């Protein structure tokens, strides 16, 4: 949830598979489904799924005329489960099947082996006497639709991987890691004028929870005197060196919607919060730097089963980068971009062209991202009442309500989806007020407004999600991070409205899941686990092994749809993505075990066997 301009970087139709169960799934419950880029990735990650493993086929007793397989179209195949209906489609009419059929880049059929063979080749509209080429996953493995992350920061993740700041226990240890990075990079080591940038420090996890200051940089001779800019883990604070601070002078006393931390004499300490981050001077990254960051992110994303990412806040620089990648046919993953809204710029919704399906349907940018408030971790989330641990403040809005009431309907009228970052209960209430006014007499399914995070909600506002048709874009791993300090910050009653997933669902809202990486772990299965257990990976929580407010858990079916068909709906692509249905893009993932039935405490042991995009393996193999 980067908080400044990203570093240069009712009635509504349900999509197929959009129905939800209302009962929370217990951590150990089983599924009740019926049983019957530049630079380009390596060649190993692009192996075509067109090789029939004849010995496996024969050993399983499915003799499929092997003497004629060579005449089968090379871009058509079936993938089947040998031990039951272990392909989860995220489609309500047929939630589990034995086989899927791919023709070219699309799904052509789904059903039992007998059914898809019987319908072949009519299912692809071709006349051929060639048999259907069949692959089998291993016993115990499952197939799910391609996984989506509904809220992440692609280029920022690549930047974060440069210096491992997360996990440091003190400001001094953080600076020591910066020093190691400088000394290991000859270009930086030998030129003290070059900027050093990193991401991931978290003062709430330090031995002594206090804000850092620029003096710590100056205490090390290898680090002192350099321009250093470090982004906090939650993206809502920048910690800078005195060298950068001098370049920013004169520094204003106050910044609306932000804060400049100062010492007892009133001098800036080098920490800038929320909108104040816009003051920080730093150079734009080069195209080559962006390529390197992008490649780092994509490599890890595909290895985790992600086939689509909603990037939550594209700057003009990063949007141009992705557009160029799409135009050159280089995008190895699907990107749904939210263009960052700068309230200091002129309104542009009526003169900027939307991007829809560029680069073979790999890039869409038809939404905007607005920041309403700050973050709970840094005390910037806008609350109705003061913080329990800091009664002097109730956070702050980063944008005035009257501005929201002005820009939201304007963007909607010009056909833009409006996605608003809102953490605190007051921020969520103000944004819902603006949505409610803007949606009067409007077809909400044509606009699909989203609240990004929707973390702290008054109960009355929970009901408005369902009534208005506003999508709740949530991050389950935030819940298991914040549960350790949430009550201290909010108090015993207000904390009940923090990450109240089940309550939001019960009021009829649609939820779509993301991670907010690099703020949290990229692994979508970490989000799946957090959503259904509300436990830390080690099985603990402030409320014990049953989970933190366990009544707010999601079911496994809801969590899977929250990573497949629901993000497709939230990005206007439910007709082409999100479920294993004939005619949709053949994006799917093979997992090493059945996350829908294994004990919850083993879910994080699951590995990705293969990630398939448009029918071709982009990670692993079948």
């Amino acid at each position: 949830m980067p908080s400044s301009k990203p570093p240069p970087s009712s009635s509504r139709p349900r999509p197929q598979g959009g129905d939800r169960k209302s009962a929370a799934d217990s951590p150990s419950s089983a599924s009740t489904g019926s049983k019957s880029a530049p630079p380009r990735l390596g060649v190993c990650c692009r192996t075509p799924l067109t090789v029939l493993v004849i010995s496996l086929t024969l050993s399983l007793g499915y003799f499929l005329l092997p003497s004629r397989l060579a005449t089968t179209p090379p871009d058509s195949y079936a993938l089947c489960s040998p031990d039951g209906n272990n392909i989860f489609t995220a489609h309500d009419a047929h939630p589990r099947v034995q086989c899927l059929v791919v023709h070219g880049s699309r799904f052509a059929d789904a059903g039992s082996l007998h059914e898809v063979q019987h319908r072949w080749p009519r299912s692809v509209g071709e006349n051929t006497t060639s048999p259907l080429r069949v692959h089998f996953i291993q016993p115990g493995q499952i197939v799910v639709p391609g996984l989506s992350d509904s809220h992440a920061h692609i280029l920022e993740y690549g930047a974060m991987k440069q210096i491992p700041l997360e996990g440091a226990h003190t400001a001094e240890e953080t600076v020591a890691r910066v020093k190691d990075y400088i000394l290991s990079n000859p270009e930086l080591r030998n030129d003290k004028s070059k900027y050093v940038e990193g991401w991931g420090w978290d003062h709430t996890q330090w031995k002594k929870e206090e804000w850092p200051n620029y003096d710590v940089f100056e205490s090390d001779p290898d680090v002192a005197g350099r321009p250093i800019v470090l982004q906090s883990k939650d993206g809502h604070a920048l910690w800078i060196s005195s060298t950068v601070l001098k370049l920013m002078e004169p520094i204003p006393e106050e910044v609306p919607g932000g804060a400049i931390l100062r010492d007892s004499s009133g001098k800036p300490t080098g920490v800038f919060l929320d909108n104040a981050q816009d003051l920080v001077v730093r150079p734009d990254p080069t195209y080559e730097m962006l390529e390197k960051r992008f490649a780092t992110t994509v490599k890890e994303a595909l290895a985790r089963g992600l086939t689509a990412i909603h990037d939550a806040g594209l700057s003009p620089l990063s949007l141009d980068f992705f557009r160029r990648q799409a135009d050159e046919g280089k995008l190895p993953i699907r990107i749904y971009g939210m263009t960052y809204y700068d309230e200091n710029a002129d309104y542009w919704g009526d003169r900027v062209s939307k991007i829809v399906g560029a680069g073979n349907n790999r890039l869409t940018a038809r939404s905007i991202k607005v920041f309403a408030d700050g973050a709970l971790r840094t005390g910037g989330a806008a609350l109705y009442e003061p913080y329990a641990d800091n009664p002097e403040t109730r956070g702050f809005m980063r944008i005035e309500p009257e501005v929201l009431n002005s820009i939201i309907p304007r963007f909607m009228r010009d056909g833009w989806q409006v996605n608003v970052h809102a953490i605190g209960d007051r921020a969520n209430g103000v944004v819902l007020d603006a949505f409610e006014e803007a949606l009067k007499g409007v077809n909400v399914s044509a606009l699909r407004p989203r609240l990004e995070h929707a973390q702290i909600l008054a109960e009355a506002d929970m009901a408005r999600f369902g009534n208005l048709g506003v999508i709740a874009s949530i991050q389950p791993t935030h819940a298991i991070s914040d549960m350790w300090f949430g009550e201290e910050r909010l108090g015993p009653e207000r904390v009940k409205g923090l990450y109240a997933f089940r309550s939001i669902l019960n009021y009829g809202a649609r939820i779509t899941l993301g991670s907010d990486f690099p703020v949290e772990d990229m692994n979508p299965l970490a989000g799946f686990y957090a959503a259904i257990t509300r436990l830390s990976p080690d099985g603990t929580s402030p409320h014990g092994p049953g989970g933190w407010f366990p009544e707010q858990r999601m079911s496994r079916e809801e969590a899977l749809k929250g990573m497949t068909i629901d993000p497709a709906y939230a990005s206007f692509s439910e007709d082409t993505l999100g479920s294993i249905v004939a005619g949709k893009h053949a994006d799917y993932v093979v997992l090493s075990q059945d996350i829908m039935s294994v004990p919850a405490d083993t879910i994080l042991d699951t590995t990705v066997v293969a990630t398939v995009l448009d029918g071709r393996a982009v990670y692993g193999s079948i």
Side-chain angles (χ1 to χ4, degrees):
M1 55 186 105
S3 60
S4 63
K5 300 173 187 176
S9 111
S10 197
S11 64
R12 62 198 190 283
R14 291 270 188 195
Q16 293 174 327
D19 294 337
R20 299 181 178 278
K21 294 180 175 64
S22 61
D25 187 23
S26 66
S28 61
S29 65
S31 168
T32 57
S34 61
K35 197 89 166 146
S36 347
R40 291 175 63 90
L41 298 178
V43 174
C44 66
C45 297
R46 295 181 175 268
T47 305
L49 294 177
T50 56
V51 179
L52 173 65
V53 183
I54 296 177
S55 60
L56 175 59
T57 303
L58 293 174
S59 69
L60 292 168
Y62 295 116
F63 184 71
L64 300 174
L65 302 175
S67 63
R68 301 178 62 185
L69 285 176
T71 64
T72 303
D75 59 351
S76 300
Y77 63 90
L79 182 68
C80 300
S81 169
D83 55 350
N85 292 347
N86 285 335
I87 295 177
F88 292 79
T89 66
H91 176 50
D92 281 348
H94 304 284
R96 296 179 64 169
V97 296
Q98 183 186 9
C99 299
L100 60 83
V101 177
V102 172
H103 180 64
S105 63
R106 304 272 178 161
F107 292 118
D109 201 359
S112 69
L113 179 59
H114 172 76
E115 288 169 338
V116 299
Q117 284 182 307
H118 178 71
R119 290 192 288 259
W120 174 264
R122 296 188 305 278
S123 60
V124 296
E126 293 185 0
N127 294 320
T128 178
T129 58
S130 299
L132 178 61
R133 190 179 297 264
V134 179
H135 304 267
F136 291 92
I137 59 176
Q138 294 295 317
Q141 295 177 351
I142 68 168
V143 176
V144 298
L147 301 177
S148 294
D149 191 310
S150 294
H151 186 112
H153 305 279
I154 297 171
L155 297 176
E156 290 82 354
Y157 183 87
M160 178 272 293
K161 298 296 285 186
Q162 294 177 167
I163 313 177
L165 299 182
E166 189 172 358
H169 297 100
T170 63
E172 290 74 18
E173 184 180 342
T174 304
V175 172
R177 296 187 183 192
V178 173
K179 174 180 179 177
D180 291 342
Y181 174 71
I182 292 171
L183 296 181
S184 66
N185 188 320
E187 187 177 2
L188 288 176
R189 184 178 65 236
N190 299 325
D191 187 349
K192 297 192 72 170
S193 69
K194 287 189 176 297
Y195 268 70
V196 180
E197 297 190 59
W199 186 305
W201 61 273
D202 182 2
H203 73 293
T204 69
Q205 299 300 310
W206 291 349
K207 293 177 180 178
K208 184 177 181 181
E209 183 179 338
E210 61 182 7
W211 292 105
N213 60 66
Y214 64 77
D215 288 337
V216 189
F217 295 121
E218 303 307 314
S219 64
D220 188 295
D222 292 311
V223 179
R226 297 177 182 271
I228 300 172
V229 179
L230 303 182
Q231 186 81 61
S232 64
K233 174 181 169 65
D234 64 4
H236 287 259
L238 285 176
W239 173 22
I240 65 175
S241 64
S242 59
T243 301
V244 178
L245 201 59
K246 291 175 183 176
L247 295 173
M248 295 164 52
E249 295 177 344
I251 297 171
E253 287 299 313
E254 295 182 352
V255 176
I260 302 169
L261 300 192
R262 300 175 184 274
D263 61 21
S264 58
S265 64
K267 295 181 180 179
T269 62
V271 175
F272 293 75
L273 306 182
D274 292 301
N275 285 357
Q277 295 178 106
D278 292 343
L279 299 173
V280 175
V281 176
R282 50 182 161 171
D284 289 340
T286 65
Y287 187 81
E288 291 71 24
M289 291 169 65
L290 295 179
E291 282 190 307
K292 183 177 179 180
R293 294 175 185 180
F294 185 46
T296 297
T297 303
V298 168
K299 181 179 179 181
E300 295 194 23
L302 296 176
R304 286 163 172 77
L306 290 172
T307 57
I309 300 172
H310 299 190
D311 195 296
L314 297 177
S315 67
L317 185 69
S318 53
L319 180 57
D320 287 345
F321 170 80
F322 289 130
R323 190 199 303 267
R324 178 173 167 184
Q325 294 281 301
D327 290 344
E328 296 175 358
K330 294 179 177 180
L331 282 183
I333 198 166
R334 302 192 196 282
I335 298 173
Y336 183 74
M338 309 177 201
T339 302
Y340 172 77
Y341 171 73
D342 182 356
E343 65 178 290
N344 296 314
D346 293 335
Y347 178 77
W348 47 262
D350 56 352
R351 54 188 170 80
V352 172
S353 298
K354 304 172 189 67
I355 302 172
V356 178
N360 192 27
N361 207 30
R362 297 288 176 93
L363 175 64
T364 292
R366 54 166 298 175
S367 66
I368 68 163
K369 168 72 175 299
V370 181
F371 284 91
D373 66 343
L376 181 65
R377 186 180 298 266
T378 50
L383 305 178
Y384 285 123
E385 301 296 333
Y387 281 83
D389 60 348
N390 187 5
E392 296 181 357
T393 181
R394 57 188 187 121
F396 48 80
M397 295 291 294
R398 291 181 54 181
I399 189 169
E400 294 301 321
E402 54 266 30
V403 177
L404 288 173
N405 290 325
S406 171
I407 64 167
I408 287 178
R410 290 188 71 184
F411 275 107
M412 286 184 174
R413 282 196 300 268
D414 288 320
W416 292 86
Q417 182 189 46
V418 178
N419 307 332
V420 185
H421 160 116
I423 303 291
D425 51 10
R426 178 162 58 106
N428 279 284
V430 168
V431 175
L432 286 169
D433 287 343
F435 278 151
E436 185 168 9
E437 187 64 27
L439 291 170
K440 288 180 178 178
V442 173
N443 178 6
V444 68
S445 65
L447 299 173
R448 306 183 191 184
R450 295 168 48 163
L451 261 174
E452 303 298 318
H453 309 305
Q455 284 185 8
I456 310 166
L457 294 167
E459 188 164 355
D461 288 333
M462 294 179 194
R464 290 205 286 171
F465 274 95
N467 294 336
L468 295 174
V470 174
I471 298 167
S473 175
I474 63 171
Q475 299 76 44
T477 45
H478 281 340
I480 62 173
S481 291
D482 293 2
M483 65 184 178
W484 300 104
F485 64 82
E487 183 168 341
E488 177 184 358
R489 194 143 294 178
L490 298 174
E493 287 303 314
R494 187 168 44 182
V495 75
K496 295 175 182 177
L498 178 62
Y499 302 108
F501 303 153
R502 170 58 46 205
S503 295
I504 299 173
L505 287 169
N506 288 348
Y507 278 114
R510 183 186 299 275
I511 277 182
T512 183
L513 306 185
S515 68
D516 203 7
F517 72 70
V519 179
E520 300 286 357
D521 187 351
M522 177 191 284
N523 184 5
L525 296 182
F528 181 90
Y529 167 85
I532 71 168
T533 67
R534 297 176 71 91
L535 290 167
S536 290
D538 63 1
T540 62
S541 83
H543 294 165
W548 182 63
F549 293 112
E551 67 275 11
Q552 295 293 348
R553 292 176 297 186
M554 297 174 66
S555 73
R556 299 190 192 213
E557 290 78 9
E558 289 165 339
L560 180 62
K561 289 178 180 178
M563 301 189 300
T564 54
I565 190 64
D566 287 336
Y569 177 84
S571 58
F572 300 89
S573 54
E574 73 274 15
D575 291 337
T576 57
L577 299 172
S579 58
I580 298 174
V581 173
K584 294 191 177 187
H585 284 283
D587 296 357
Y588 64 88
V589 181
V590 182
L591 299 176
S592 63
Q593 63 174 347
D594 184 359
I595 60 171
M596 306 301 286
S597 65
V598 298
D601 61 3
T602 67
I603 286 172
L604 295 179
D605 297 331
T606 308
T607 58
V608 173
V609 177
T611 302
V612 178
L613 199 67
D614 281 330
R616 304 276 176 164
V618 290
Y619 171 80
S621 61
I622 303 298

